[in-house]
Amino acid sequence: MADFTHLDEAGSARMVNVGEKPVTPREAVAEACVKMEAATAESIRENQTKKGEVLQVARLAGIMAAKRTDELIPLCHGLPLESIDVAFTFEDATTLRITATAKVAAKTGVEMEAMTAASVAALTVYDMCKAIDRGMEIRQVRLMKKSGGKSGTYERQPEN
Amino acid sequence: MADFTHLDEAGSARMVNVGEKPVTPREAVAEACVKMEAATAESIRENQTKKGEVLQVARLAGIMAAKRTDELIPLCHGLPLESIDVAFTFEDATTLRITATAKVAAKTGVEMEAMTAASVAALTVYDMCKAIDRGMEIRQVRLMKKSGGKSGTYERQPEN
Amino acid sequence: MADFTHLDEAGSARMVNVGEKPVTPREAVAEACVKMEAATAESIRENQTKKGEVLQVARLAGIMAAKRTDELIPLCHGLPLESIDVAFTFEDATTLRITATAKVAAKTGVEMEAMTAASVAALTVYDMCKAIDRGMEIRQVRLMKKSGGKSGTYERQPEN
Amino acid sequence: MADFTHLDEAGSARMVNVGEKPVTPREAVAEACVKMEAATAESIRENQTKKGEVLQVARLAGIMAAKRTDELIPLCHGLPLESIDVAFTFEDATTLRITATAKVAAKTGVEMEAMTAASVAALTVYDMCKAIDRGMEIRQVRLMKKSGGKSGTYERQPEN
Amino acid sequence: MADFTHLDEAGSARMVNVGEKPVTPREAVAEACVKMEAATAESIRENQTKKGEVLQVARLAGIMAAKRTDELIPLCHGLPLESIDVAFTFEDATTLRITATAKVAAKTGVEMEAMTAASVAALTVYDMCKAIDRGMEIRQVRLMKKSGGKSGTYERQPEN
Amino acid sequence: MADFTHLDEAGSARMVNVGEKPVTPREAVAEACVKMEAATAESIRENQTKKGEVLQVARLAGIMAAKRTDELIPLCHGLPLESIDVAFTFEDATTLRITATAKVAAKTGVEMEAMTAASVAALTVYDMCKAIDRGMEIRQVRLMKKSGGKSGTYERQPEN
């Protein structure tokens, strides 16, 4: 079962030994989309105009969750995050795109921190809006880019 | 801004007062899908056959995250979860479906616990497999069903 | 040492047994003040006008900390908070007043949750502004009111 | 809104990027005072004489909270604390002074860890004594000194 | 695999559904022993006489860990602990006995909270003394008594 | 009270200052045994054969607890764990041996992380099996080996 870095030869879970790896600067960008009713998107936009806090709460939730990634994802290493930010844009009338960017200087990558920030921000948007639109759906939680480390740079190719 | 239950009239975030609501049995079912390469799906399946632990780790991660939902989602109430389980099925050659079911007797609903369990289980599958398939994508994190409470039963309608 | 409810006869710390107490509705209001330079207060006010997030971040921090009071204060019982909110007002040109209100139906009081929310919100204001005003000071963290339970209602008397 | 380091140009909260900053030794000293009835202070003193644990519990609470500062204060970086201690002195018949000292070698300062330790120790004193003196007040939570980092040394000037 | 309540028919982990069980008063007593050099025991005893804090720190650690049992033990339910205390006695010249008693009114038992409190208190004693006695050993972490719930009262029989 | 590194001259608890110590590679191995009925051991073994998850859950619990050692053990420093693994072997018909190995490059040792992983894994085995064997006992939680740091290598001597 050599395929899975998080499993030993017997298939048992382990936290990969990163002791031999050098500390290098790492960056990862992940995104998530929240698909909603047009009326819900309209309400969020209007809320932003009126200084409401729907997206602010979601942003904070994403940032704070990123710092606790290693408590949530069992085999993740704890990383001293140097920066994390979470941004929102409406892609179209019914889709909110969330982009999370995480940076660290560490022996292992910061992808899971970015993925977790985007996911938890999306879950928080769901929580804030579920009373008006229970059918919202979180889509396309995925890694867009990462750099640093032995495996080098990855950039998601546009689908077509 | 009466639309958003988590905001007061001034648009400020708050934890909704559930003090007046009766304690009733609540249940929620949420799901998430992980889209992957066929070879990755094959590896996970083979891993299960050989008693590897990819999905076991993801299941535990989902269960444990559900218990901490109120630490992750800023305006969620803490709930005394009575039961949570997380199940996996391969829907097709490249799609892993994760279903999380949460139950509680409480003054407020248990949807976010089920959504969080499904999301964190999916993130953990990503973490376990990202070294072999960085392009995996989490899709369709959504509520399938919920019952209990004043708003009654919700069941997601099949799309067509 | 019968004076201290959190100590036994030998003076050892313990979590008080609340098993015999009835569940009653409880409420507590606490406040904290942050004393700052007039220019800092001006910046925060201006920031609010421009939809900045200084106080939003502090409010969320207070709400989230209240839910974890029993992890911070060693002998506090875990309580199923029913509601918590945190409000800000500028009392004068250099004083920001933070008011936290917590509610629960429980066997013990909710004072520490309100005190913790006000304190952590104040610490967060300090963190957000310390680069421009390191000398800020948190003052008057105190209980303003509490109701419910055997000891009944308490209301802080105005000093004079 | 360039004034607030924790906000970007649009006023959105972010965790400041400290990636470019060098690791330097940092130290911070913060304090908090608890104002109480003379009889309460007397009870605490007597308790200490009899090996009671009021202040011991508060000290531990402060130390443990300092290690979790980044979970409480939303935009704080996680720091590998090298040392933290919390000391108590009665300044006069009704005032308990709490002094917290934190040290770290890091890319950012350790002020919030010291402030958090002092605050949570003070909250714990309140919790331990509230049954006998509900009117106690936490005052003067403030930074006394900090050193290290680009902004150099700060020392609070005595007021007069 | 009906033997294991925490596994379903397929052998998968789950949090047992306690929804149908009535809330009843529960109590559990667990203990742990720390075996050490006579000189270490002597140092702890002397430390207690001089108001040192070795055992105080261990007691607090046990109490605080009990409140977080459901975060540590993956399939444990969160319980609203009503009381927890941790006591120490030297059984002989080289054995420190730690007894933890936990109480709750809940749908499921409180054994794990008592076991966790005793274990973490013992680990903390080890941590406090390891620089002088690295060979210390934790023994006999075990349930002494439990009452409440459908399975009724259990009392450990003396071995002989 | 110079004996206790975690206490200052007055006997007060403190987090030892490790600022002057160099970062060196550290490793620690700890173990714990769970003594059980032969029938219980048989059930666990059979469960493993059938791909049940008793030991998998315990392993994950140990790994995840190791990452939070500094939250549990009050005076422990937070460490950026590089690797942790937890292994199980049946020593005889009634004894399950748990071995935890932790690695880090840090200014202080990683013994408590290994001890905590072994303890929490053992507690989880107890939790998983307590419905069929309430009398199980955790024994011999102890450090087997540690290396790195000023105090050098330690290896437990076999008893006889």
Side-chain angles (χ1 to χ4, degrees), chain C residues 27-42:
Chain C
E27 181 170 343
V29 181
E31 67 172 37
C33 287
V34 185
K35 183 76 179 176
M36 57 186 73
E37 300 288 339
T40 310
E42 195 50 49

Side-chain angles (χ1 to χ4, degrees), chain C residues 115-132:
Chain C
M115 293 282 284
T116 298
S119 288
V120 172
L123 286 168
T124 302
V125 170
Y126 184 85
D127 182 48
M128 302 287 287
C129 302
K130 69 180 190 294
I132 55 174

